[in-house]
């Protein structure tokens, strides 16, 4: 067996490692993008711990869990409509992921003005999500008397974990809205003409992440 | 590749000239590293004084009127938290991580210098918030460094009003600072290496710091979340961790929370934290040993994989800190098993250090003394870990001085031995001056022998059943009076060790001004940081050209090479050879290549 054949035979994990480790840059992407990925991985752990803690207190608490389908329902024309508000909010956030993806696409096509407009639209959708969340919070607090330290329906951990986790997520969305607005404004002014448009994709990574987290929060709080 | 452009260009980065931009608001990783190190050593000295006060109380109870039970437990808490987080984590990653990563992998700086600068200033803020708790009404928290609720935030615990708030806030701020630094370290190692510096050619120091940083980025979230939740419990009366309870005859408003949840979250952070401290120590000690034994590290690949394996395993062993929490026995069985599995990669590392020393040309420099001292203390600390990892052995030993002795040997003394080794080893590069060898040796022997005088008897106290965190023993039937004599002797030894650190501090300050000039590469080391144009390296590190790497980090005593080390940036054709006897193989350059197991084929 000659040497090259021998090398080809030595596939498996060790050759994979050699190949992967031999480049100057481990991942073929800009520094900022990799950093965003690693940050999101760390942030994933934050949200995972939040949600795990929520599941844990929900299972160990002594009192009954409030009837979520009623607590979260809107009353429209005298009818309890469960999940209506939250369905709209989720729809808006997922739509914003779509506009974000289009912005990335236009940025890489070299159309920064169009990309900037779509980013602003994304920010607007994000802001309306936060607005609806504020509406939902005020409804829960004012109309139904739910507080972080107690509520009339049952286990007080409901209010505590709901406000803490959706609040933490809402903060992420708000930060994202500001981030999008700043980047879109720079994009509009031609700040990235020489630097390249990776920044749009990096912003997009953050935005999609915030969306994805929402899907889990939605499932664990509203559907469970 | 398009995005390496910044790193490949000749150094065009902006060099600051004014003092304030050069040394205060500096974005240079070397200056930031020194800022981190000085701050960390400063708080570390405070924690050292606290431990001295604790020992005074334990050794000579009823002698010091200013140490009351509350003050004692506050000292315990602050000593532990400062040492683990604000000294060890900050000094290993913020200090040495910052200094060594760009220099050892051949980069000009971290990938995002501004974020790096911010990381230090936020860390400093967290330290200030922490130290502020000494000056608020009620003083710092006395909840123990584990901060277990419900007791941590209830009246009766010292510092339950203000101290605990500042502690939790400070931890949250620290985590923000660490995240900003950590993202930089990981991205720099992955993306900004010099040409030829493959991952499997990186010095083990970098591997240790790299994996430890990843652990930090994944483990600190658990502490952040539990800190936020406990702040909520304290401030606005939620009940995440608080069950319904009666405190001082009063029914409190809490109900239905889970204190055990906090323990799980805390130790999901807390156990990886052990390795956040230990892995950089493992890496750095490997480089010190190889350099001063003039021999390549034994089993480089094994060492790398052991670091990665320990890092991975550290996430599935946390509940071994909670055997006494009443967990399901099957749960305990699982965690005992995973805990004992960690002994395998760890033992591989210890064997490899010893095998590196085997037949090496050992230079007993101060750095090497501390490195060898580390092998002793770490082995001893590790062996008692085998006791505590087993549920049935842990139950009677839990919360005794045996545990105190164990974790001080394994994650107190051992990493600090490596820190000293690292400081003695890298000080000449950082300042251009040697540390004084006589003072260094005195410092080593007092510290090394002193730690044994302190911690060996503690194991015995633990077997007697002496509980930890107690202010005084009082009259207890099962503890003989001789235990008190032992306690007094431990205190004397601890104070001597504490005072010996003054030699070290004096040595640092003295050598900074009057130390012998070191030159660029005083130890004859192979790694890149010793090959810089200037010592100490200037802003941008490498002058006009980035180094190019041709070999792994451990080409010491290569047969037939003229020098007993070949720096990483020397190409095969540039290696100076001695005349080769006719019987030896002629193609020496080929031989040099074969020695490096890190060669991609």
């Amino acid at each position: 067996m000659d040497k090259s054949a021998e090398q080809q035979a030595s596939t498996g994990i060790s050759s994979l490692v050699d190949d992967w480790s031999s480049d100057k840059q481990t991942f073929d992407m800009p520094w900022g993008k990799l950093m965003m990925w690693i940050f999101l991985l760390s942030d994933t752990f934050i949200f995972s711990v939040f949600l795990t803690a929520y599941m844990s207190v929900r299972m160990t608490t002594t009192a009954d869990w409030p009837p979520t389908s009623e607590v979260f329902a809107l009353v429209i024309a005298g009818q309890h409509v469960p999940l209506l508000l939250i369905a709209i909010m989720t729809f808006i956030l997922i739509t914003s992921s779509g506009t974000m993806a289009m912005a990335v696409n236009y940025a890489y096509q070299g159309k920064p003005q169009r990309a900037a407009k779509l980013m602003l639209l994304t920010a607007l959708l994000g802001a309306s999500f936060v607005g609806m969340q504020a509406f939902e919070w005020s409804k829960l607090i004012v109309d139904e008397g739910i507080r972080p330290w107690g509520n009339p329906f049952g286990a007080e951990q409901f209010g505590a974990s709901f406000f803490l986790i959706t609040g933490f997520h809402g903060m992420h969305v708000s930060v994202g809205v500001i981030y999008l607005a700043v980047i879109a404004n720079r994009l509009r002014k031609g700040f990235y003409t020489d630097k390249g448009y990776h920044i749009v994709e990096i912003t997009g990574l953050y935005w999609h992440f915030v969306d994805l987290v929402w899907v889990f929060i939605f499932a664990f709080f509203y559907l469970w | 590749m398009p995005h390496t452009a910044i790193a490949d260009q000749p150094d065009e980065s902006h060099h600051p000239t004014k003092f304030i931009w050069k040394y205060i608001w500096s974005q240079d990783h070397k200056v930031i590293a020194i800022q981190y190190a000085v701050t960390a050593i400063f708080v570390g000295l405070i924690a050292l004084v606290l431990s001295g006060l604790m020992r005074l109380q334990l050794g000579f109870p009823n002698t010091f009127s200013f140490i009351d039970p509350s003050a004692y437990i506050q000292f315990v808490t602050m000593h532990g938290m400062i040492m683990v987080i604000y000294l060890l984590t900050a000094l290993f990653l913020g200090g040495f991580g910052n200094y060594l990563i760009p220099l050892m992998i051949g980069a000009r700086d971290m990938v995002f210098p501004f974020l790096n600068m911010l990381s230090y200033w936020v860390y400093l803020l967290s330290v200030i918030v922490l130290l502020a708790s000494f000056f608020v009404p009620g003083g710092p928290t006395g909840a123990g460094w584990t901060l277990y609720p419900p007791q941590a935030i209830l009246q009766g615990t010292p510092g339950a009003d203000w101290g605990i708030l500042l502690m939790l806030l400070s931890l949250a701020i620290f985590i923000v600072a660490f995240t900003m630094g950590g993202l930089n370290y990981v991205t720099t190692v992955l993306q900004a290496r010099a040409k030829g510096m493959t991952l499997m050619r990186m010095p083990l120091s970098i591997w240790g710091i790299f994996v430890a940083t990843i652990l930090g980025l994944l483990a600190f979230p658990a502490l952040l979340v539990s800190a936020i939740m406990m702040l909520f419990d304290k401030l606005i009366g939620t009940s995440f961790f608080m069950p319904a309870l009666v405190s001082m005859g009063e029914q409190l408003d809490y109900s239905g929370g889970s204190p055990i949840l906090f323990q799980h979250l805390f130790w999901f952070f807390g156990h990886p934290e052990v390795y956040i401290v230990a892995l950089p120590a493992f890496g750095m000690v490997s480089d010190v040993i190889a350099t001063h034994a003039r021999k390549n590290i034994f089993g480089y690949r094994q060492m790398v994989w052991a670091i990665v394996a320990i890092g991975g395993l550290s996430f599935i062993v946390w509940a071994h800190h909670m055997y006494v929490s009443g967990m399901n026995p099957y749960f305990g069985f699982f965690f005992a098993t995973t805990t004992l599995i960690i002994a395998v990669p760890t033992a591989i590392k210890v064997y490899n250090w010893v095998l590196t020393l085997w037949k090496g040309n050992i230079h007993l420099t101060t750095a090497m003394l501390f490195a060898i001292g580390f092998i002793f203390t770490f082995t001893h600390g590790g062996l008692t870990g085998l006791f505590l990892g087993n549920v049935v052995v842990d139950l009677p030993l839990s919360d005794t001085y045996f545990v105190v002795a164990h974790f001080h040997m394994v994650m107190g003394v051992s990493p600090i031995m490596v820190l000293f080794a690292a400081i003695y080893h890298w000080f000449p590069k950082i300042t251009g001056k040697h540390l004084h060898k006589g003072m260094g040796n005195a410092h080593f022997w007092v510290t090394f022998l002193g730690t044994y005088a302190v911690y060996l008897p503690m194991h015995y106290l633990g077997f007697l059943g002496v509980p930890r965190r107690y202010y005084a023993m009082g009259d207890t039937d099962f503890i003989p009076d001789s235990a008190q004599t032992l306690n007094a002797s431990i205190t004397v030894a601890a104070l001597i060790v504490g005072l010996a650190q003054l030699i070290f501090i004096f040595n640092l300050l003295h050598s900074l001004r009057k130390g012998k000039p070191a030159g660029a590469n005083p130890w004859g080391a192979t790694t890149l940081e010793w090959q810089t144009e200037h010592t100490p390296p200037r802003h941008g590190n490498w002058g006009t050209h980035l180094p190019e790497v041709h070999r792994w980090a451990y080409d010491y005593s290569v047969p037939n090479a003229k020098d007993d080390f070949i720096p990483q940036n020397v190409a095969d054709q540039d290696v100076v050879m001695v005349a080769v006897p006719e019987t030896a193989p002629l193609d020496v350059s080929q031989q040099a290549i074969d020695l490096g197991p890190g060669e991609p084929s």
Side-chain angles (χ1 to χ4, degrees):
Chain A
M1 196 189 279
D2 65 43
K3 203 171 177 199
S4 66
E6 206 171 18
Q7 274 173 346
Q8 284 191 339
S10 75
T11 49
I13 290 181
S14 82
S15 69
L16 179 82
V17 170
D18 282 339
D19 187 42
W20 193 64
S21 68
S22 59
D23 285 329
K24 260 174 86 168
Q25 301 205 64
T26 308
F27 298 99
D28 185 15
M29 59 174 78
W31 292 343
K33 190 166 152 192
L34 181 64
M35 189 183 259
M36 181 55 86
W37 273 113
I38 300 168
F39 169 72
L40 294 180
L41 185 64
S42 186
D43 217 11
T44 304
F45 268 62
I46 293 184
F47 278 108
S48 310
V49 174
F50 264 130
L51 288 174
T52 312
Y54 152 71
M55 290 184 251
S56 170
V57 290
R58 179 161 174 173
M59 286 188 290
T60 53
T61 188
T62 42
D64 286 336
W65 202 252
T68 46
S69 63
E70 284 169 42
V71 173
F72 291 127
L74 286 185
V75 181
I76 292 175
Q79 294 285 315
H80 266 277
V81 188
L83 291 178
L84 178 61
L85 178 64
I86 211 63
I88 298 171
M89 285 167 70
T90 308
F91 179 75
I92 284 179
L93 208 57
I94 291 181
T95 309
S96 78
S97 253
T99 55
M100 186 68 233
M102 286 165 73
V104 175
N105 188 23
Y106 279 120
Y108 280 138
Q109 281 179 21
K111 295 174 183 163
Q113 299 305 333
R114 209 175 269 199
K117 277 189 195 113
L118 279 161
M119 282 177 88
L120 283 175
L121 180 62
T122 310
L124 212 62
L125 289 169
S128 66
F129 174 87
V130 177
M132 282 190 253
Q133 196 170 36
F135 168 73
E136 185 189 28
W137 274 39
S138 58
K139 172 180 154 290
L140 291 178
I141 294 169
V142 179
D143 298 349
E144 309 188 28
I146 295 171
R147 303 282 187 277
W149 53 87
N151 64 67
F153 303 99
E156 60 171 287
Q157 279 74 23
F158 170 71
S161 46
F162 177 81
F163 288 121
L164 180 60
I165 295 173
T166 58
F168 201 73
H169 177 264
M171 211 174 70
H172 271 72
V173 178
S174 308
V175 169
V177 168
I178 297 168
Y179 184 28
L180 279 167
V182 170
I183 301 295
N185 192 39
R186 285 182 168 186
L187 198 61
R188 208 167 49 79
K189 289 182 177 166
F191 190 82
Y192 300 107
T193 315
D194 301 329
K195 294 183 169 193
Y197 296 116
H198 289 294
I199 185 71
V200 182
E201 194 189 350
I202 294 171
T203 319
L205 282 177
Y206 177 82
W207 193 256
H208 295 315
F209 169 78
V210 171
D211 274 9
L212 185 64
V213 168
W214 175 253
V215 173
F216 282 91
I217 292 175
F218 171 70
F220 281 120
F221 272 99
Y222 296 88
L223 301 184
W224 180 8
Chain B
M1 245 174 278
H3 10 271
T4 50
I6 306 165
D8 284 338
Q9 279 160 8
D11 186 17
E12 287 171 2
S13 50
H14 170 68
H15 296 290
T17 46
K18 278 193 178 161
F19 179 83
I20 189 166
W21 297 114
K22 222 168 159 181
Y23 298 109
I24 310 292
W25 304 109
S26 173
Q27 300 189 19
D28 183 349
H29 71 100
K30 299 183 289 295
V31 179
I32 295 169
I34 293 167
Q35 290 171 330
Y36 253 115
V38 170
T39 315
I41 291 172
F42 171 72
V43 281
L45 287 174
I46 294 175
L48 185 71
V49 171
L50 292 177
S51 67
L53 293 172
M54 281 146 58
R55 279 319 313 178
L56 281 176
Q57 165 58 30
L58 289 173
F60 310 101
N62 309 323
T63 319
F64 301 93
S65 56
F66 65 96
I67 308 176
D68 59 17
S70 296
Y72 175 79
I73 200 76
Q74 288 169 322
F75 296 165
V76 172
T77 306
M78 296 305 275
H79 166 80
M81 199 59 106
I82 290 177
M83 286 295 193
V84 172
I85 309 256
Y86 300 88
L87 170 70
L88 288 173
T89 309
L91 189 47
F92 271 117
L93 299 178
F96 281 99
N98 251 322
Y99 200 88
L100 294 179
I101 289 172
L103 279 167
M104 277 188 150
I105 65 170
R108 293 206 183 278
D109 207 319
M110 290 289 177
V111 289
F112 293 102
F114 182 78
L115 203 59
N116 206 21
M117 174 184 81
L118 220 52
S119 162
Y120 169 72
W121 291 103
V122 177
Y123 163 66
L124 184 65
L125 178 67
S126 77
V127 169
I128 291 170
V129 171
L130 181 80
L131 295 183
S133 68
F134 282 102
F135 303 101
V136 294
T141 178
W145 92 278
T146 51
L147 304 177
Y148 278 3
Q151 147 266 344
I153 59 173
L154 290 184
Q155 291 306 321
T157 304
D161 290 320
W162 285 97
I164 185 72
L165 292 181
L166 289 176
M167 170 62 82
L168 295 171
L169 197 61
S170 169
L171 286 172
I173 298 171
F174 178 89
I175 293 165
V176 173
F178 173 82
T179 305
M180 291 194 282
L183 291 173
N184 247 321
Y185 312 153
V186 174
T187 315
T188 307
V189 170
L190 286 175
Q191 300 295 85
R193 280 166 282 130
K195 188 172 180 211
M197 178 61 86
T198 64
L199 288 178
M200 281 308 199
R201 277 174 172 175
M202 291 198 305
L204 287 168
S205 297
I206 300 301
W207 267 107
I209 291 166
F210 173 60
V211 176
T213 309
I214 295 175
L215 295 192
L217 289 171
L218 304 184
F220 274 118
L223 182 65
L224 179 71
V225 169
S226 41
I228 292 173
M229 286 178 161
M230 211 202 288
L231 276 175
F232 271 51
D233 280 2
K234 173 72 192 165
L235 284 175
I236 60 173
T238 58
S239 301
F240 287 111
F241 303 133
M242 307 295 282
L245 41 80
V246 176
S247 170
M248 298 182 173
E250 227 182 303
Q251 173 75 43
L252 299 181
D253 281 339
Y254 298 111
S255 75
S258 166
I260 295 292
L261 171 64
F262 179 86
Q263 296 190 17
H264 280 294
L265 294 183
F266 182 85
W267 289 114
F268 185 78
F269 146 76
H271 197 83
E273 170 64 28
V274 173
Y275 292 100
I276 291 168
V277 170
L279 292 182
F282 291 170
M284 279 150 57
V285 83
S286 307
D287 284 349
V288 171
I289 287 175
T291 306
H292 296 272
R294 317 307 299 158
K295 216 178 134 210
N296 61 310
I297 193 78
F298 188 92
Y300 173 81
R301 265 178 187 256
Q302 283 176 30
M303 292 300 247
V304 171
W305 285 115
I307 286 176
V308 174
I310 293 170
L313 285 169
S314 74
F315 278 101
I316 50 168
V317 300
W318 77 89
H320 68 211
H321 297 270
M322 302 163 54
Y323 287 152
V324 291
S325 70
M327 64 167 74
N328 187 314
Y330 289 110
F331 212 47
F333 173 75
F334 171 80
F335 281 101
T337 310
T338 51
T339 302
L340 297 181
I341 289 172
I342 282 203
V344 176
T346 316
I348 287 175
K349 296 195 76 69
V350 175
Y351 283 124
N352 284 355
W353 289 320
V354 176
L355 286 167
T356 305
L357 291 172
W358 179 262
K359 292 188 176 176
N361 176 8
I362 297 175
H363 295 229
L364 287 177
T365 55
T366 317
M368 188 59 154
L369 286 175
F370 274 107
I372 295 172
F374 160 82
I375 300 179
F376 280 90
T377 58
F378 183 70
T379 307
H380 288 145
L383 287 175
T384 50
L386 294 178
F387 291 64
L388 297 173
N390 284 290
V391 186
V392 284
V393 191
D394 178 76
L395 290 180
L397 289 174
S398 195
D399 274 326
T400 68
Y401 269 82
F402 190 85
V403 176
V404 176
H406 159 70
F407 70 69
H408 275 90
M409 282 305 265
V410 81
M411 84 164 293
V413 175
S414 300
I416 285 176
M417 296 295 260
V418 176
L419 279 176
F420 285 135
I423 291 171
Y424 284 97
H425 182 74
W426 276 290
F427 188 82
K429 176 53 63 177
I430 297 169
T431 64
K433 307 277 179 64
H434 273 296
L435 283 164
H436 189 274
K437 188 161 192 245
M439 278 192 269
N441 287 359
H443 174 218
F444 167 74
W445 285 109
V446 178
T447 306
F448 179 67
L449 298 176
T451 53
Y452 273 101
V454 172
Y455 294 111
L456 273 187
M458 273 194 201
H459 290 91
Y460 176 68
L461 287 180
F463 278 132
L464 289 180
V466 178
R468 65 191 276 211
R469 286 180 177 155
Y470 276 35
Y471 166 69
M473 293 313 138
D475 291 323
T476 315
D477 284 341
F478 65 91
I479 300 170
D481 293 339
S482 57
Q484 189 48 47
T485 323
L486 207 50
N487 251 333
S489 106
I490 292 174
T491 296
V492 172
L495 292 178
I496 293 173
V497 174
L499 289 175
Q501 307 316 309
L502 291 177
I503 308 176
F504 170 68
I505 300 292
F506 178 76
N507 194 355
L508 282 183
L509 299 175
H510 173 82
S511 303
L512 204 55
R513 292 178 164 275
K514 300 190 178 158
K516 269 191 304 180
N521 190 358
W523 313 121
T526 56
T527 40
L528 285 182
E529 81 275 23
W530 301 100
Q531 324 304 334
T532 54
E533 205 176 327
H534 303 282
T535 301
R538 296 192 183 159
H539 188 234
N541 292 349
W542 307 105
T544 47
H545 292 289
L546 282 172
E548 202 169 304
V549 175
H550 299 277
R551 57 193 66 249
W552 72 329
Y554 299 99
D555 266 344
Y556 291 105
S557 307
V558 175
N560 302 325
K562 182 164 166 289
D563 295 321
D564 67 348
F565 68 103
I566 306 173
Q568 282 190 279
N569 59 350
V570 172
D572 286 331
Q573 64 270 20
D574 296 335
V575 176
V576 184
M577 293 292 169
V578 291
V580 185
E582 281 183 17
T583 47
L586 281 169
D587 189 5
V588 281
S589 63
Q590 186 58 42
Q591 196 180 24
I593 286 174
D594 289 344
L595 281 168
E599 295 294 327
S601 47

